[in-house]
Amino acid sequence: MDLNTQREHFIDVMAKFTGYAGKHLPDDVIAKLEELRSQEDTPMAKLVYDAMFDDLKMAHELNRPACQDTGVIQYFVQVGSKFPMIDEIESCLVEAVKKATIESPLRHNCVEIFDEKNTGNNVGTRIPWIDWEVVPHNDEVKIYMYMAGGGCSLPGTAKVLMPLEGYDGAVKFIFDQITSYGINACPPLLVGIGIAGSVEVAAKLSKKALLRPIGTHNSNTRGAELEAMIEKGLNDIEIGPGGLTGKNSVMGVNIEQAGRHPATIAVGLSTGCWAHRRALIKFDSSLEYEIISHKGAVL
Amino acid sequence: MSKKILTTPIKNEDLESLTIGDVVFLNGYLVTSRDDVHHRHITQGKELPVDLAGKAIFHAGPIMQEKKDEPGKYEVISIGPTTSMRMEKLQKEFIEATGLKLVVGKGGMGPKTAEACQANKTVHTVFPGGCAVLAASRVEEVESVEWLDLGMPEAMWVMRVKEFGPLIVSIDTKGNNLFEKNKAMFNEKKETVVAEIIKHVDYLD
Ligand code: SF4
């Protein structure tokens, strides 16, 4: 394949993949929602879960975005330093978003700062947002696609605490935010927490935590315990689907960390809604692809 | 239980028997109105291009597709509610200015809106968040669009709907507020839960 054909193929696959992920939730999210749904026994909670599953079924049958807010498109790229198309990825992703906006279709969700005009194609200054990680001695690329909806981005926050406020301070901060802003973010939520030394690192890690599948654990034993404690604690508050009360509040709590400065503990929070549109695709060096997040997906 | 259906134009009597937590459905006119529509009409004082008296508004920014064979006519692809709380700042004034009777959105609204609902016999309801294809399936026709210069999510989409719901009453005409009630409950439980967790997180050496 010459470069142009390769680009066309890559753009086409990424456009279809992006659209697909707006119409179908990843396997781990579906499994968790089914589990949570089965635990509910009040008419209100059942009504909301019924609506969600009816919606997913219709989204599949009619080939439409499950939620109208298809978000600002974000790609988290883990690229091997030897991936042959490394120079093309960024421009191809931009083209893929334009294409998906028309073909899927996606809602127009990019408003330029200061000009306050909607660009109408989901592409704008630094949008789609692309996050890069380079993997040495590797010739593949893994790309996470995430639709950052408005409702689920709204609870996002980060703060730098003093060490003597300790982890207590971080825990309080998280709970205050989830019991206020979280209620409107279409629970059950996936809660992403980043803990680090400065605000931007914590914030970024909180979003990366949302990319980790539900049911996986923090690499540190205490971290994993803290995830479990916060998850149980939030569930005991019984926010329920749609914030209308129920047996649970969250699909999970994922924490990611980076070393901190001795004088600071920064904590970041990102939330994913029940329609957690996160998808993962892998391309090898000959551009053969595999969709990891959605088993059996056909683009 | 029979399905409770509201039909536009909605009258005060239709709403007065409703209580928070009730489930209703809507027949008739549902018009999207969110941040920019509220801002243009109330803050900037521009006249609304649609008469909302007796009708329902929807805090929603849809995905619409222009029909290939009928330019200017649209089909709704996906339309779910957006966070109602964003409209809290202007909702009261908007209700007073328009005479609208039903607000459909997501999540709760604050005391100012609750006050306006009581004074003007208006009800705030929530449609299950994110269930946008389900909602689209209850739209019979997109009759027109106004203020499209605001962009697809912010424009006023005038829709005729059939058994649109489930709509859960979150603020009734008596001034009750379901989400405020829930929030108080969540906050109470939060105190106990947090106190328990912080016993176990003294990781500092
Ligand atoms: S919070 Fe998620 S499910 Fe709810 S409206 Fe926003 S994107 Fe859709």
Side-chain angles (χ1 to χ4, degrees):
Chain A
M1 274 198 279
D2 67 8
L3 184 62
N4 260 337
T5 324
Q6 281 181 322
R7 277 185 59 98
E8 256 166 49
H9 168 71
F10 189 57
I11 291 168
D12 189 56
V13 172
M14 283 311 295
K16 290 200 172 102
F17 170 70
T18 302
Y20 183 92
K23 298 167 182 175
H24 308 265
L25 299 184
D27 302 336
D28 61 322
V29 173
I30 294 280
K32 192 68 194 187
L33 287 173
E34 278 168 353
E35 182 193 323
L36 296 180
R37 180 194 199 184
S38 70
Q39 292 167 9
E40 295 295 350
D41 55 14
T42 61
M44 182 74 84
K46 284 185 171 176
L47 181 81
V48 179
Y49 273 114
D50 286 352
M52 291 174 187
F53 278 88
D54 284 351
D55 184 67
L56 289 174
K57 190 164 164 270
M58 294 174 83
H60 174 74
E61 286 167 3
L62 299 171
N63 192 32
R64 292 180 179 185
C67 175
Q68 81 292 340
D69 186 355
T70 46
V72 169
I73 307 297
Q74 305 184 330
Y75 294 108
F76 296 81
V77 181
Q78 294 171 351
V79 63
S81 58
K82 307 231 168 5
F83 179 64
M85 294 261 295
I86 191 166
D87 292 339
E88 309 296 323
I89 295 174
E90 184 163 347
S91 60
C92 286
L93 290 178
V94 169
E95 290 310 311
V97 168
K98 288 187 197 162
K99 199 165 149 83
T101 299
I102 295 166
E103 289 176 359
S104 177
L106 306 177
R107 200 175 74 179
H108 305 163
N109 270 342
C110 175
V111 176
E112 287 291 13
I113 302 296
F114 302 124
D115 303 335
E116 285 303 310
K117 286 279 173 262
N118 193 318
T119 62
N121 62 1
N122 283 311
V123 168
T125 308
R126 297 195 168 110
I127 296 298
W129 179 256
I130 303 176
D131 179 87
W132 295 96
E133 276 176 38
V134 178
V135 187
H137 314 297
N138 176 291
D139 65 359
E140 301 175 336
V141 65
K142 278 188 185 166
I143 304 176
Y144 287 89
M145 194 288 308
Y146 179 69
M147 290 183 172
C152 49
S153 296
L154 211 52
T157 180
K159 189 178 179 183
V160 185
L161 302 168
M162 287 178 269
L164 291 184
E165 295 175 87
Y167 290 82
D168 325 8
V171 168
K172 281 186 198 139
F173 179 64
I174 302 292
F175 274 80
D176 285 345
Q177 194 72 1
I178 298 292
T179 52
S180 53
Y181 282 79
I183 297 166
N184 296 335
C186 293
L189 306 172
L190 183 59
V191 178
I193 300 170
I195 306 178
S198 58
V199 74
E200 83 292 359
V201 179
K204 186 162 163 171
L205 289 175
S206 74
K207 180 52 81 63
K208 294 215 168 173
L210 290 184
L211 303 180
R212 233 175 63 204
I214 295 170
T216 57
H217 305 290
N218 186 275
S219 54
N220 179 290
T221 316
R222 279 178 172 171
E225 276 168 17
L226 186 59
E227 285 176 342
M229 277 191 284
I230 296 177
E231 177 173 348
K232 180 175 182 304
L234 286 171
N235 281 336
D236 286 345
I237 294 174
E238 300 187 309
I239 291 171
L244 291 157
T245 71
K247 289 270 184 294
N248 295 288
S249 310
V250 295
M251 297 193 285
V253 174
N254 290 350
I255 305 178
E256 289 293 316
Q257 69 274 32
R260 66 177 180 88
H261 186 283
T264 57
I265 298 183
V267 49
L269 172 72
S270 294
T271 50
C273 49
W274 74 267
H276 187 53
R277 286 136 317 154
R278 172 239 299 125
L280 174 59
I281 190 168
K282 185 174 91 176
F283 290 86
D284 67 17
S285 56
S286 54
L287 291 188
E288 292 287 329
Y289 67 89
E290 182 194 349
I291 297 170
I292 296 168
S293 51
H294 299 63
K295 252 203 193 72
V298 183
L299 296 184
Chain B
M1 208 178 70
S2 69
K3 246 186 187 175
K4 167 99 184 155
I5 295 180
L6 298 170
T7 304
T8 63
I10 300 168
K11 294 185 282 304
N12 290 353
E13 305 85 88
D14 304 336
L15 299 176
E16 277 162 347
S17 60
L18 295 178
T19 304
I20 49 171
D22 285 354
V23 177
V24 296
F25 292 81
L26 176 73
N27 281 351
Y29 283 97
L30 179 64
V31 184
T32 63
S33 311
R34 42 182 266 167
D35 313 61
D36 288 357
V37 168
H38 286 71
H39 182 74
R40 250 193 198 181
H41 184 47
I42 301 301
T43 315
Q44 299 183 339
K46 292 200 182 128
E47 201 183 320
L48 275 185
V50 185
D51 178 12
L52 293 176
K55 297 195 179 103
I57 63 162
F58 195 8
H59 294 155
I63 303 176
M64 294 282 181
Q65 207 166 40
E66 196 164 6
K67 291 186 178 171
K68 285 200 182 72
D69 39 352
E70 280 178 86
K73 273 302 237 184
Y74 289 83
E75 183 191 12
V76 57
I77 301 293
S78 198
I79 183 166
T82 193
T83 309
S84 286
M85 197 51 106
R86 291 204 318 271
M87 270 53 75
E88 175 65 12
K89 204 176 139 199
L90 300 174
Q91 194 65 77
K92 177 174 182 277
E93 290 79 356
F94 198 77
I95 289 172
E96 288 167 358
T98 59
L100 70 91
K101 283 288 142 197
L102 185 78
V103 183
V104 181
K106 176 181 91 170
M109 295 195 72
K112 228 180 115 187
T113 301
E115 204 186 293
C117 282
Q118 193 172 11
N120 299 278
K121 302 290 171 217
T122 304
V123 163
H124 178 265
T125 62
V126 296
F127 183 88
C131 301
V133 188
L134 180 66
S137 74
R138 306 290 164 87
V139 176
E140 286 190 307
E141 195 192 342
V142 182
E143 284 198 354
S144 58
V145 56
E146 302 289 344
W147 285 356
L148 191 53
D149 61 302
L150 293 174
M152 187 195 280
E154 298 288 342
M156 291 184 92
W157 298 94
V158 181
M159 303 176 291
R160 235 179 337 96
V161 300
K162 180 102 200 212
E163 291 194 19
F164 189 90
L167 305 174
I168 299 143
V169 176
S170 86
I171 297 176
D172 61 27
T173 53
K174 292 150 257 179
N176 297 311
N177 189 333
L178 180 63
F179 279 88
E180 286 304 311
K181 216 177 98 195
N182 288 349
K183 248 192 219 166
M185 206 159 71
F186 300 150
N187 276 326
E188 209 181 290
K189 288 188 195 159
K190 178 182 72 181
E191 299 302 324
T192 329
V193 162
V194 170
E196 181 56 34
I197 294 178
I198 60 180
K199 284 186 206 156
H200 306 283
V201 298
D202 185 8
Y203 301 141
L204 301 187
D205 259 345

PDB file of all heavy atoms in Angstrom, chain A residues 152-182:
ATOM      1  N   CYS A 152     -20.917  14.572  32.000  1.00  0.00           N
ATOM      2  CA  CYS A 152     -19.970  13.793  32.792  1.00  0.00           C
ATOM      3  C   CYS A 152     -18.632  14.516  32.948  1.00  0.00           C
ATOM      4  O   CYS A 152     -17.821  14.155  33.796  1.00  0.00           O
ATOM      5  CB  CYS A 152     -19.788  12.397  32.210  1.00  0.00           C
ATOM      6  SG  CYS A 152     -19.482  12.374  30.468  1.00  0.00           S
ATOM      7  N   SER A 153     -18.399  15.571  32.163  1.00  0.00           N
ATOM      8  CA  SER A 153     -17.177  16.362  32.366  1.00  0.00           C
ATOM      9  C   SER A 153     -17.370  17.406  33.468  1.00  0.00           C
ATOM     10  O   SER A 153     -16.403  17.867  34.081  1.00  0.00           O
ATOM     11  CB  SER A 153     -16.769  17.080  31.077  1.00  0.00           C
ATOM     12  OG  SER A 153     -16.443  16.155  30.069  1.00  0.00           O
ATOM     13  N   LEU A 154     -18.626  17.781  33.694  1.00  0.00           N
ATOM     14  CA  LEU A 154     -18.922  18.861  34.639  1.00  0.00           C
ATOM     15  C   LEU A 154     -18.437  18.610  36.071  1.00  0.00           C
ATOM     16  O   LEU A 154     -17.966  19.535  36.730  1.00  0.00           O
ATOM     17  CB  LEU A 154     -20.431  19.135  34.619  1.00  0.00           C
ATOM     18  CG  LEU A 154     -20.901  20.559  34.888  1.00  0.00           C
ATOM     19  CD1 LEU A 154     -20.221  21.584  34.013  1.00  0.00           C
ATOM     20  CD2 LEU A 154     -22.411  20.656  34.709  1.00  0.00           C
ATOM     21  N   PRO A 155     -18.528  17.379  36.610  1.00  0.00           N
ATOM     22  CA  PRO A 155     -18.024  17.176  37.975  1.00  0.00           C
ATOM     23  C   PRO A 155     -16.502  17.213  38.073  1.00  0.00           C
ATOM     24  O   PRO A 155     -15.961  17.206  39.176  1.00  0.00           O
ATOM     25  CB  PRO A 155     -18.527  15.768  38.344  1.00  0.00           C
ATOM     26  CG  PRO A 155     -19.617  15.455  37.379  1.00  0.00           C
ATOM     27  CD  PRO A 155     -19.249  16.182  36.120  1.00  0.00           C
ATOM     28  N   GLY A 156     -15.800  17.230  36.961  1.00  0.00           N
ATOM     29  CA  GLY A 156     -14.346  17.175  36.970  1.00  0.00           C
ATOM     30  C   GLY A 156     -13.746  18.306  37.785  1.00  0.00           C
ATOM     31  O   GLY A 156     -14.166  19.457  37.692  1.00  0.00           O
ATOM     32  N   THR A 157     -12.729  17.971  38.590  1.00  0.00           N
ATOM     33  CA  THR A 157     -12.117  18.988  39.438  1.00  0.00           C
ATOM     34  C   THR A 157     -10.760  18.489  39.910  1.00  0.00           C
ATOM     35  O   THR A 157     -10.463  17.309  39.839  1.00  0.00           O
ATOM     36  CB  THR A 157     -13.031  19.306  40.646  1.00  0.00           C
ATOM     37  OG1 THR A 157     -12.412  20.293  41.462  1.00  0.00           O
ATOM     38  CG2 THR A 157     -13.297  18.081  41.498  1.00  0.00           C
ATOM     39  N   ALA A 158      -9.926  19.405  40.372  1.00  0.00           N
ATOM     40  CA  ALA A 158      -8.623  19.019  40.911  1.00  0.00           C
ATOM     41  C   ALA A 158      -8.199  20.066  41.924  1.00  0.00           C
ATOM     42  O   ALA A 158      -8.607  21.238  41.835  1.00  0.00           O
ATOM     43  CB  ALA A 158      -7.583  18.911  39.798  1.00  0.00           C
ATOM     44  N   LYS A 159      -7.393  19.641  42.863  1.00  0.00           N
ATOM     45  CA  LYS A 159      -7.035  20.539  43.952  1.00  0.00           C
ATOM     46  C   LYS A 159      -5.704  20.087  44.535  1.00  0.00           C
ATOM     47  O   LYS A 159      -5.423  18.884  44.577  1.00  0.00           O
ATOM     48  CB  LYS A 159      -8.132  20.427  45.011  1.00  0.00           C
ATOM     49  CG  LYS A 159      -8.069  21.425  46.125  1.00  0.00           C
ATOM     50  CD  LYS A 159      -9.252  21.203  47.049  1.00  0.00           C
ATOM     51  CE  LYS A 159      -9.216  22.187  48.196  1.00  0.00           C
ATOM     52  NZ  LYS A 159     -10.309  21.949  49.129  1.00  0.00           N
ATOM     53  N   VAL A 160      -4.905  21.042  45.001  1.00  0.00           N
ATOM     54  CA  VAL A 160      -3.656  20.676  45.658  1.00  0.00           C
ATOM     55  C   VAL A 160      -3.838  20.843  47.158  1.00  0.00           C
ATOM     56  O   VAL A 160      -4.201  21.922  47.627  1.00  0.00           O
ATOM     57  CB  VAL A 160      -2.493  21.547  45.161  1.00  0.00           C
ATOM     58  CG1 VAL A 160      -1.181  21.056  45.772  1.00  0.00           C
ATOM     59  CG2 VAL A 160      -2.408  21.516  43.642  1.00  0.00           C
ATOM     60  N   LEU A 161      -3.624  19.767  47.886  1.00  0.00           N
ATOM     61  CA  LEU A 161      -3.802  19.805  49.341  1.00  0.00           C
ATOM     62  C   LEU A 161      -2.441  19.861  50.019  1.00  0.00           C
ATOM     63  O   LEU A 161      -1.421  19.476  49.438  1.00  0.00           O
ATOM     64  CB  LEU A 161      -4.535  18.543  49.807  1.00  0.00           C
ATOM     65  CG  LEU A 161      -5.912  18.278  49.190  1.00  0.00           C
ATOM     66  CD1 LEU A 161      -6.376  16.865  49.507  1.00  0.00           C
ATOM     67  CD2 LEU A 161      -6.917  19.287  49.705  1.00  0.00           C
ATOM     68  N   MET A 162      -2.451  20.303  51.273  1.00  0.00           N
ATOM     69  CA  MET A 162      -1.219  20.242  52.041  1.00  0.00           C
ATOM     70  C   MET A 162      -1.132  18.871  52.683  1.00  0.00           C
ATOM     71  O   MET A 162      -2.161  18.288  53.037  1.00  0.00           O
ATOM     72  CB  MET A 162      -1.224  21.347  53.085  1.00  0.00           C
ATOM     73  CG  MET A 162      -0.998  22.694  52.423  1.00  0.00           C
ATOM     74  SD  MET A 162      -1.045  24.044  53.570  1.00  0.00           S
ATOM     75  CE  MET A 162      -2.767  24.477  53.503  1.00  0.00           C
ATOM     76  N   PRO A 163       0.077  18.346  52.807  1.00  0.00           N
ATOM     77  CA  PRO A 163       0.203  16.960  53.280  1.00  0.00           C
ATOM     78  C   PRO A 163      -0.534  16.689  54.598  1.00  0.00           C
ATOM     79  O   PRO A 163      -1.059  15.592  54.781  1.00  0.00           O
ATOM     80  CB  PRO A 163       1.708  16.777  53.442  1.00  0.00           C
ATOM     81  CG  PRO A 163       2.294  17.721  52.455  1.00  0.00           C
ATOM     82  CD  PRO A 163       1.374  18.902  52.415  1.00  0.00           C
ATOM     83  N   LEU A 164      -0.604  17.670  55.479  1.00  0.00           N
ATOM     84  CA  LEU A 164      -1.282  17.379  56.746  1.00  0.00           C
ATOM     85  C   LEU A 164      -2.801  17.275  56.598  1.00  0.00           C
ATOM     86  O   LEU A 164      -3.482  16.765  57.480  1.00  0.00           O
ATOM     87  CB  LEU A 164      -0.894  18.400  57.828  1.00  0.00           C
ATOM     88  CG  LEU A 164       0.574  18.282  58.282  1.00  0.00           C
ATOM     89  CD1 LEU A 164       0.872  19.259  59.420  1.00  0.00           C
ATOM     90  CD2 LEU A 164       0.932  16.860  58.716  1.00  0.00           C
ATOM     91  N   GLU A 165      -3.322  17.762  55.471  1.00  0.00           N
ATOM     92  CA  GLU A 165      -4.738  17.483  55.183  1.00  0.00           C
ATOM     93  C   GLU A 165      -4.881  16.019  54.794  1.00  0.00           C
ATOM     94  O   GLU A 165      -5.965  15.453  54.843  1.00  0.00           O
ATOM     95  CB  GLU A 165      -5.259  18.370  54.055  1.00  0.00           C
ATOM     96  CG  GLU A 165      -5.291  19.847  54.388  1.00  0.00           C
ATOM     97  CD  GLU A 165      -5.711  20.686  53.185  1.00  0.00           C
ATOM     98  OE1 GLU A 165      -6.914  20.889  52.981  1.00  0.00           O
ATOM     99  OE2 GLU A 165      -4.811  21.145  52.438  1.00  0.00           O
ATOM    100  N   GLY A 166      -3.739  15.479  54.355  1.00  0.00           N
ATOM    101  CA  GLY A 166      -3.608  14.046  54.137  1.00  0.00           C
ATOM    102  C   GLY A 166      -4.570  13.447  53.156  1.00  0.00           C
ATOM    103  O   GLY A 166      -5.230  14.131  52.381  1.00  0.00           O
ATOM    104  N   TYR A 167      -4.617  12.127  53.188  1.00  0.00           N
ATOM    105  CA  TYR A 167      -5.514  11.404  52.300  1.00  0.00           C
ATOM    106  C   TYR A 167      -6.962  11.626  52.745  1.00  0.00           C
ATOM    107  O   TYR A 167      -7.879  11.476  51.937  1.00  0.00           O
ATOM    108  CB  TYR A 167      -5.146   9.919  52.268  1.00  0.00           C
ATOM    109  CG  TYR A 167      -3.829   9.658  51.569  1.00  0.00           C
ATOM    110  CD1 TYR A 167      -2.614   9.814  52.231  1.00  0.00           C
ATOM    111  CD2 TYR A 167      -3.799   9.282  50.236  1.00  0.00           C
ATOM    112  CE1 TYR A 167      -1.405   9.598  51.580  1.00  0.00           C
ATOM    113  CE2 TYR A 167      -2.596   9.059  49.570  1.00  0.00           C
ATOM    114  CZ  TYR A 167      -1.399   9.221  50.255  1.00  0.00           C
ATOM    115  OH  TYR A 167      -0.212   9.009  49.606  1.00  0.00           O
ATOM    116  N   ASP A 168      -7.178  11.976  54.010  1.00  0.00           N
ATOM    117  CA  ASP A 168      -8.548  12.297  54.467  1.00  0.00           C
ATOM    118  C   ASP A 168      -9.117  13.417  53.617  1.00  0.00           C
ATOM    119  O   ASP A 168     -10.265  13.392  53.203  1.00  0.00           O
ATOM    120  CB  ASP A 168      -8.659  12.881  55.878  1.00  0.00           C
ATOM    121  CG  ASP A 168      -7.690  12.362  56.877  1.00  0.00           C
ATOM    122  OD1 ASP A 168      -6.771  11.622  56.495  1.00  0.00           O
ATOM    123  OD2 ASP A 168      -7.894  12.721  58.045  1.00  0.00           O
ATOM    124  N   GLY A 169      -8.257  14.431  53.428  1.00  0.00           N
ATOM    125  CA  GLY A 169      -8.682  15.598  52.663  1.00  0.00           C
ATOM    126  C   GLY A 169      -9.097  15.194  51.265  1.00  0.00           C
ATOM    127  O   GLY A 169     -10.109  15.668  50.731  1.00  0.00           O
ATOM    128  N   ALA A 170      -8.314  14.299  50.670  1.00  0.00           N
ATOM    129  CA  ALA A 170      -8.606  13.843  49.315  1.00  0.00           C
ATOM    130  C   ALA A 170      -9.940  13.098  49.286  1.00  0.00           C
ATOM    131  O   ALA A 170     -10.769  13.319  48.399  1.00  0.00           O
ATOM    132  CB  ALA A 170      -7.479  12.948  48.813  1.00  0.00           C
ATOM    133  N   VAL A 171     -10.144  12.236  50.272  1.00  0.00           N
ATOM    134  CA  VAL A 171     -11.380  11.446  50.312  1.00  0.00           C
ATOM    135  C   VAL A 171     -12.597  12.362  50.461  1.00  0.00           C
ATOM    136  O   VAL A 171     -13.592  12.226  49.745  1.00  0.00           O
ATOM    137  CB  VAL A 171     -11.313  10.416  51.473  1.00  0.00           C
ATOM    138  CG1 VAL A 171     -12.683   9.791  51.729  1.00  0.00           C
ATOM    139  CG2 VAL A 171     -10.282   9.340  51.167  1.00  0.00           C
ATOM    140  N   LYS A 172     -12.500  13.340  51.361  1.00  0.00           N
ATOM    141  CA  LYS A 172     -13.623  14.274  51.555  1.00  0.00           C
ATOM    142  C   LYS A 172     -13.931  15.042  50.274  1.00  0.00           C
ATOM    143  O   LYS A 172     -15.084  15.220  49.894  1.00  0.00           O
ATOM    144  CB  LYS A 172     -13.291  15.278  52.672  1.00  0.00           C
ATOM    145  CG  LYS A 172     -13.464  14.693  54.048  1.00  0.00           C
ATOM    146  CD  LYS A 172     -13.264  15.771  55.114  1.00  0.00           C
ATOM    147  CE  LYS A 172     -13.002  15.138  56.451  1.00  0.00           C
ATOM    148  NZ  LYS A 172     -11.951  15.814  57.220  1.00  0.00           N
ATOM    149  N   PHE A 173     -12.857  15.487  49.645  1.00  0.00           N
ATOM    150  CA  PHE A 173     -12.979  16.243  48.394  1.00  0.00           C
ATOM    151  C   PHE A 173     -13.762  15.444  47.352  1.00  0.00           C
ATOM    152  O   PHE A 173     -14.671  15.958  46.697  1.00  0.00           O
ATOM    153  CB  PHE A 173     -11.557  16.559  47.915  1.00  0.00           C
ATOM    154  CG  PHE A 173     -11.464  17.314  46.622  1.00  0.00           C
ATOM    155  CD1 PHE A 173     -11.972  18.598  46.523  1.00  0.00           C
ATOM    156  CD2 PHE A 173     -10.837  16.754  45.513  1.00  0.00           C
ATOM    157  CE1 PHE A 173     -11.860  19.307  45.332  1.00  0.00           C
ATOM    158  CE2 PHE A 173     -10.722  17.457  44.326  1.00  0.00           C
ATOM    159  CZ  PHE A 173     -11.242  18.735  44.236  1.00  0.00           C
ATOM    160  N   ILE A 174     -13.416  14.167  47.216  1.00  0.00           N
ATOM    161  CA  ILE A 174     -14.080  13.292  46.236  1.00  0.00           C
ATOM    162  C   ILE A 174     -15.562  13.111  46.600  1.00  0.00           C
ATOM    163  O   ILE A 174     -16.449  13.268  45.747  1.00  0.00           O
ATOM    164  CB  ILE A 174     -13.422  11.888  46.217  1.00  0.00           C
ATOM    165  CG1 ILE A 174     -11.930  11.976  45.899  1.00  0.00           C
ATOM    166  CG2 ILE A 174     -14.155  10.940  45.276  1.00  0.00           C
ATOM    167  CD1 ILE A 174     -11.592  12.417  44.522  1.00  0.00           C
ATOM    168  N   PHE A 175     -15.828  12.815  47.843  1.00  0.00           N
ATOM    169  CA  PHE A 175     -17.217  12.552  48.242  1.00  0.00           C
ATOM    170  C   PHE A 175     -18.096  13.798  48.097  1.00  0.00           C
ATOM    171  O   PHE A 175     -19.244  13.703  47.688  1.00  0.00           O
ATOM    172  CB  PHE A 175     -17.284  12.003  49.679  1.00  0.00           C
ATOM    173  CG  PHE A 175     -17.113  10.506  49.724  1.00  0.00           C
ATOM    174  CD1 PHE A 175     -15.858   9.939  49.642  1.00  0.00           C
ATOM    175  CD2 PHE A 175     -18.218   9.668  49.810  1.00  0.00           C
ATOM    176  CE1 PHE A 175     -15.695   8.563  49.653  1.00  0.00           C
ATOM    177  CE2 PHE A 175     -18.067   8.287  49.816  1.00  0.00           C
ATOM    178  CZ  PHE A 175     -16.811   7.733  49.744  1.00  0.00           C
ATOM    179  N   ASP A 176     -17.535  14.961  48.454  1.00  0.00           N
ATOM    180  CA  ASP A 176     -18.330  16.191  48.325  1.00  0.00           C
ATOM    181  C   ASP A 176     -18.729  16.424  46.874  1.00  0.00           C
ATOM    182  O   ASP A 176     -19.854  16.810  46.572  1.00  0.00           O
ATOM    183  CB  ASP A 176     -17.529  17.407  48.825  1.00  0.00           C
ATOM    184  CG  ASP A 176     -17.456  17.426  50.350  1.00  0.00           C
ATOM    185  OD1 ASP A 176     -18.237  16.689  50.987  1.00  0.00           O
ATOM    186  OD2 ASP A 176     -16.597  18.162  50.888  1.00  0.00           O
ATOM    187  N   GLN A 177     -17.786  16.169  45.989  1.00  0.00           N
ATOM    188  CA  GLN A 177     -18.054  16.444  44.581  1.00  0.00           C
ATOM    189  C   GLN A 177     -19.058  15.444  43.996  1.00  0.00           C
ATOM    190  O   GLN A 177     -19.962  15.824  43.261  1.00  0.00           O
ATOM    191  CB  GLN A 177     -16.726  16.407  43.802  1.00  0.00           C
ATOM    192  CG  GLN A 177     -16.801  16.983  42.412  1.00  0.00           C
ATOM    193  CD  GLN A 177     -16.945  18.503  42.407  1.00  0.00           C
ATOM    194  OE1 GLN A 177     -16.982  19.149  43.456  1.00  0.00           O
ATOM    195  NE2 GLN A 177     -17.035  19.063  41.225  1.00  0.00           N
ATOM    196  N   ILE A 178     -18.905  14.175  44.358  1.00  0.00           N
ATOM    197  CA  ILE A 178     -19.804  13.158  43.791  1.00  0.00           C
ATOM    198  C   ILE A 178     -21.231  13.334  44.323  1.00  0.00           C
ATOM    199  O   ILE A 178     -22.198  13.163  43.576  1.00  0.00           O
ATOM    200  CB  ILE A 178     -19.297  11.725  44.086  1.00  0.00           C
ATOM    201  CG1 ILE A 178     -17.923  11.490  43.441  1.00  0.00           C
ATOM    202  CG2 ILE A 178     -20.300  10.672  43.600  1.00  0.00           C
ATOM    203  CD1 ILE A 178     -17.915  11.451  41.931  1.00  0.00           C
ATOM    204  N   THR A 179     -21.376  13.703  45.596  1.00  0.00           N
ATOM    205  CA  THR A 179     -22.741  13.837  46.119  1.00  0.00           C
ATOM    206  C   THR A 179     -23.393  15.159  45.716  1.00  0.00           C
ATOM    207  O   THR A 179     -24.568  15.374  45.983  1.00  0.00           O
ATOM    208  CB  THR A 179     -22.781  13.728  47.666  1.00  0.00           C
ATOM    209  OG1 THR A 179     -21.841  14.652  48.204  1.00  0.00           O
ATOM    210  CG2 THR A 179     -22.446  12.332  48.132  1.00  0.00           C
ATOM    211  N   SER A 180     -22.651  16.041  45.086  1.00  0.00           N
ATOM    212  CA  SER A 180     -23.296  17.262  44.573  1.00  0.00           C
ATOM    213  C   SER A 180     -23.357  17.196  43.052  1.00  0.00           C
ATOM    214  O   SER A 180     -24.376  16.829  42.476  1.00  0.00           O
ATOM    215  CB  SER A 180     -22.544  18.511  45.050  1.00  0.00           C
ATOM    216  OG  SER A 180     -21.167  18.420  44.741  1.00  0.00           O
ATOM    217  N   TYR A 181     -22.231  17.439  42.396  1.00  0.00           N
ATOM    218  CA  TYR A 181     -22.196  17.432  40.932  1.00  0.00           C
ATOM    219  C   TYR A 181     -22.440  16.052  40.325  1.00  0.00           C
ATOM    220  O   TYR A 181     -22.988  15.926  39.236  1.00  0.00           O
ATOM    221  CB  TYR A 181     -20.845  17.958  40.435  1.00  0.00           C
ATOM    222  CG  TYR A 181     -20.734  19.449  40.488  1.00  0.00           C
ATOM    223  CD1 TYR A 181     -20.467  20.102  41.677  1.00  0.00           C
ATOM    224  CD2 TYR A 181     -20.902  20.212  39.334  1.00  0.00           C
ATOM    225  CE1 TYR A 181     -20.368  21.479  41.726  1.00  0.00           C
ATOM    226  CE2 TYR A 181     -20.809  21.585  39.377  1.00  0.00           C
ATOM    227  CZ  TYR A 181     -20.533  22.216  40.581  1.00  0.00           C
ATOM    228  OH  TYR A 181     -20.449  23.569  40.618  1.00  0.00           O
ATOM    229  N   GLY A 182     -21.984  15.022  41.018  1.00  0.00           N
ATOM    230  CA  GLY A 182     -22.063  13.667  40.451  1.00  0.00           C
ATOM    231  C   GLY A 182     -23.478  13.207  40.166  1.00  0.00           C
ATOM    232  O   GLY A 182     -23.724  12.457  39.219  1.00  0.00           O
TER     233      GLY A 182
END
